[in-house]
Amino acid sequence: MSFRVGQGYDIHRLVEGRRLVLGGLEIDSPWGLEGHSDADVLLHALGDALLGAAGLGDLGELFPPDDERFRDADSADLVAEILERVTGEGFAVVNCDLTLVGERPRLAPHRTSIRERIASILGIPPERVGLKATTNEGLGALGRSEGVAALAVVLLETAS
Ligand code: MG
């Protein structure tokens, strides 16, 4: 048994009039995240962490932001495709840990449902999905609520 660890980071602008999708879950909110796909900042960080752990490149390489096929793409589908490649290389996901950084939206009311959604996308129990949130203490662009960032760490195991 051997292990591989990967990390991911993403950031998207917070704007009015876009739908807000976090961790594969649509959340009722007056603001959403701007992006070519559904701009799911949590799943993008997670996708990069999975790719990084397996040594398979990065999200932008696999799903170029200027490719029309990925306009308004459901990021849960993108992570599912990444997972297929990762498992195809003989890896299984042990756990993941995610942090959302920003002043809003508040994550707490949605934490349980987002954990369950991410767990179902990855095919692991919700106890293996860590999900935390922190503000940026009013500092910089995140502190001014101009965007939301996410950090992700993933551990993979392989039988060989
Ligand atoms: Mg992104």
Side-chain angles (χ1 to χ4, degrees):
M1 174 95 59
S2 69
F3 296 95
R4 303 282 184 88
V5 68
Q7 57 105 16
Y9 168 80
D10 195 29
I11 186 166
H12 281 267
R13 273 180 201 279
L14 202 54
V15 293
E16 271 181 58
R18 278 267 304 185
R19 65 193 190 109
L20 178 65
V21 185
L22 282 179
L25 209 71
E26 185 155 351
I27 289 167
D28 194 28
S29 162
W31 324 281
L33 296 173
E34 196 172 58
H36 183 65
S37 67
D38 62 6
D40 189 331
V41 70
L42 274 177
L43 288 192
H44 291 181
L46 177 63
D48 256 352
L50 284 163
L51 289 169
L56 291 173
D58 67 27
L59 208 71
E61 203 178 320
L62 242 63
F63 311 112
D66 54 357
D67 190 326
E68 280 306 307
R69 281 177 302 159
F70 306 121
R71 177 176 294 281
D72 296 322
D74 183 343
S75 296
D77 291 341
L78 306 186
V79 171
E81 190 177 326
I82 289 169
L83 188 67
E84 219 166 276
R85 291 176 187 233
V86 165
T87 52
E89 295 290 317
F91 297 110
V93 178
V94 178
N95 74 310
C96 68
D97 189 23
L98 306 163
T99 305
L100 192 71
V101 188
E103 312 298 312
R104 62 187 190 199
R106 282 195 62 235
L107 182 70
H110 313 288
R111 189 195 310 268
T112 306
S113 2
I114 294 176
R115 277 183 81 194
E116 283 170 358
R117 176 75 176 117
I118 292 174
S120 84
I121 294 167
L122 293 179
I124 57 176
E127 302 78 49
R128 294 187 182 208
V129 177
L131 181 58
K132 305 161 333 275
T134 183
T135 71
N136 216 37
E137 288 290 332
L139 294 166
L142 292 177
R144 292 189 297 271
S145 295
E146 290 172 17
V148 176
L151 304 155
V153 173
V154 164
L155 186 68
L156 302 178
E157 64 182 356
T158 167
S160 56

